[in-house]
Amino acid sequence: MKVAIIGLGFRMGYLGRVFAELDPTFEIVGYADPSPAGLPGLTEAGIPVGKRYETPEALIAGERFDLLMIGSPNHMHLGHIRMGLEAGLTVFTEKPIVISIAESLELARLLNTHGHDRLLVGLVLRYSPLYRDLRAAQAQGSLGDVVSIEASEHIEPYHGAFFMRDWRRYGRYTGGFMLEKCCHDLDLYNGVVGARPRFVASFGGRKSFVPQNAPEPGVNDLEIYHRKPSGWMGSDKVFDSDADIIDYQTAIIEYENGVAMTFHTNLNVPDQFRRFCVIGSKGMAEGDFVRGYLDVHSARTHEKLVDKRYSAPSEKSQHYGADEQMAADVLAFIQTGAKQPVSALDAIEAGILALAIDQARLSRTVVDLAPLWKEYDACLHGDDAGRDVPVAKQA
């Protein structure tokens, strides 16, 4: 498979290595990035990278390839997706797919024009073995009707410090931390619920990565707070960062079908976990992507129906082995058109939920998403000519 890359950062450099291990014909024919942080890793792995182009337009015009991969900063995604779709290309974009409600509606209009089958998205956890097993247990009826969900994504201090130092510290580039980091998780549980979120409330802020919590000079500073390298617009500041993102946040969501969910994220959790408990009318499923387990119990008999443990394929593997499966599935799509477990529409809807969570946090109101879903559907089906872009209603 031949690919071209817009935004050759650390993530695309890693994915290039994953694809190359699976496909001996994999080739990066060219890239557009003024400062390609992912290039050294590819070179070290012996993966040839083609010509560097000054602009994405020149790259698209100058090469022939099977897949355009977009790893640029989030606020550039919409423009780069548009270029690819308008050029008739198959496009893979990293998450989050876009960064605002207005961009979500604009992307819906684009998909109405070009279709969404040619746009793949890197919501990688949908490909994970644990999530696939959860959905299989759900399909077998082990849970019954989903009633409520408790879920979280907590990350270690070194990773939280990375967010305070990287370009991702600015909401204007990311759309906010909930969108940048937690859209994975929100997408997973949207899939489990099988309905759109309707009402959202949220609270949060920044209390850990603040000046009064800075460690004594030299105390684990390099080992912890600078372990993960930052790229574009990187900074050395952690506790005195100019970031405008949160370091903790909670949300309460009610879905259109009445399912309720609580979600909690924190960036300063030394024994990190990424777990969930899905409780249904007939049973419950409890799992953790970090700690690697899935247990399913029957509410009728208390019997443990599923008892699975998971480990990554290698020490270098990211996302609990999901990247390898995602690469295999993307390759299958290019070769045979095989169906993917997540779509561009799933990505937009998870993003809208993340953005609504932040709207609720900032406004201290309950946000009603019904008006926004109506407008989104109109954009998706070409029925929105002349309409103003709405905001979600505050209940």
Side-chain angles (χ1 to χ4, degrees):
M1 180 175 72
K2 294 183 178 182
V3 307
I5 297 177
I6 299 174
L8 183 53
F10 291 118
R11 175 64 178 161
M12 282 297 149
Y14 172 72
L15 285 182
R17 299 194 296 276
V18 174
F19 274 97
E21 288 180 1
L22 292 174
D23 179 11
T25 71
F26 179 79
E27 180 182 356
I28 300 171
V29 298
Y31 68 93
D33 190 324
S35 183
L39 184 59
L42 292 167
T43 302
E44 181 181 335
I47 299 170
V49 177
K51 179 180 176 182
R52 184 178 77 84
Y53 286 84
E54 294 296 325
T55 65
E57 293 89 345
L59 170 64
I60 291 171
E63 298 289 347
R64 296 177 63 87
F65 46 87
D66 303 302
L67 182 67
L68 177 66
M69 300 186 73
I70 297 172
S72 51
N74 305 351
H75 69 293
M76 300 179 181
H77 285 183
L78 179 61
H80 294 154
I81 291 169
R82 186 195 306 275
M83 287 181 199
L85 293 179
E86 290 180 348
L89 301 171
T90 299
V91 179
F92 171 93
T93 184
E94 258 304 314
K95 60 80 191 169
I97 196 164
V98 289
I99 68 162
S100 69
I101 296 299
E103 288 192 354
S104 299
L105 298 178
E106 181 58 26
L107 181 55
R109 295 185 187 99
L110 272 175
L111 299 182
N112 170 257
T113 301
H114 299 284
H116 59 82
D117 292 341
R118 289 189 290 113
L119 180 56
L120 313 179
V121 63
L123 282 169
V124 66
L125 291 190
R126 282 266 191 154
Y127 299 83
S128 65
L130 192 160
Y131 185 69
R132 292 186 174 200
D133 289 341
L134 169 63
R135 295 307 306 275
Q138 183 181 10
Q140 290 163 7
S142 300
L143 306 181
D145 296 328
V146 176
V147 176
S148 60
I149 299 174
E150 179 183 293
S152 59
E153 181 185 8
H154 297 322
I155 64 175
E156 288 184 291
Y158 88 90
H159 203 169
F162 161 78
F163 277 98
M164 296 299 154
R165 294 185 292 105
D166 193 60
W167 61 266
R168 294 168 177 83
R169 68 189 183 273
Y170 299 128
R172 63 184 178 273
Y173 297 134
T174 63
F177 181 82
M178 186 63 69
L179 178 67
E180 158 63 24
K181 188 71 174 72
C182 302
C183 63
H184 279 306
D185 305 78
L186 299 176
D187 169 63
L188 296 183
Y189 306 121
N190 284 355
V192 168
V193 173
R196 287 172 172 171
R198 172 69 192 272
F199 295 106
V200 179
S202 180
F203 303 93
R206 197 153 118 222
K207 289 187 175 182
S208 293
F209 292 103
V210 292
Q212 59 265 36
N213 289 334
E216 293 295 323
V219 178
N220 282 337
D221 191 47
L222 292 178
E223 293 85 351
I224 300 295
Y225 301 114
H226 294 81
R227 183 195 307 176
K228 186 175 173 67
S230 59
W232 178 60
M233 296 196 69
S235 168
D236 288 333
K237 296 184 177 182
V238 176
F239 293 89
D240 54 348
S241 168
D242 62 349
D244 57 23
I245 59 172
I246 56 88
D247 63 21
Y248 74 98
Q249 190 166 353
T250 62
I252 306 172
I253 300 104
E254 182 179 68
Y255 286 83
E256 290 175 341
N257 60 0
V259 173
M261 180 170 78
T262 62
F263 184 78
H264 179 204
T265 187
N266 193 297
L267 283 66
N268 191 44
V269 180
D271 189 9
Q272 67 177 355
F273 54 93
R274 194 175 199 169
R275 67 187 178 207
F276 59 84
C277 185
V278 179
I279 303 171
S281 58
K282 295 181 180 179
M284 63 176 276
E286 184 179 6
D288 190 320
F289 290 93
V290 173
R291 298 175 183 179
Y293 71 87
L294 174 66
D295 295 334
V296 178
H297 285 85
S298 167
R300 308 286 170 81
T301 66
H302 290 196
E303 178 187 0
K304 183 180 281 191
L305 306 175
V306 175
D307 181 357
K308 289 197 171 184
R309 299 298 180 263
Y310 303 86
S311 59
S314 73
E315 290 185 0
K316 295 182 178 180
S317 179
Q318 299 178 10
H319 295 111
Y320 333 113
D323 284 306
E324 290 82 354
Q325 186 60 56
M326 182 180 75
D329 282 13
V330 169
L331 284 166
F333 178 84
I334 297 298
Q335 294 165 357
T336 67
K339 183 176 175 59
Q340 301 294 288
V342 64
S343 72
L345 303 185
D346 295 324
I348 296 173
E349 294 178 16
I352 286 173
L353 174 55
L355 292 162
I357 289 173
D358 272 340
Q359 181 184 338
R361 175 179 64 86
L362 293 168
S363 65
R364 291 186 172 271
T365 60
V366 175
V367 172
D368 180 357
L369 281 167
L372 181 54
W373 292 130
K374 183 177 180 180
E375 186 69 10
Y376 169 71
D377 286 333
C379 294
L380 198 58
H381 298 102
D383 301 328
D384 69 320
R387 296 190 187 185
D388 294 330
V389 173
V391 294
K393 181 180 178 182
Q394 295 177 2

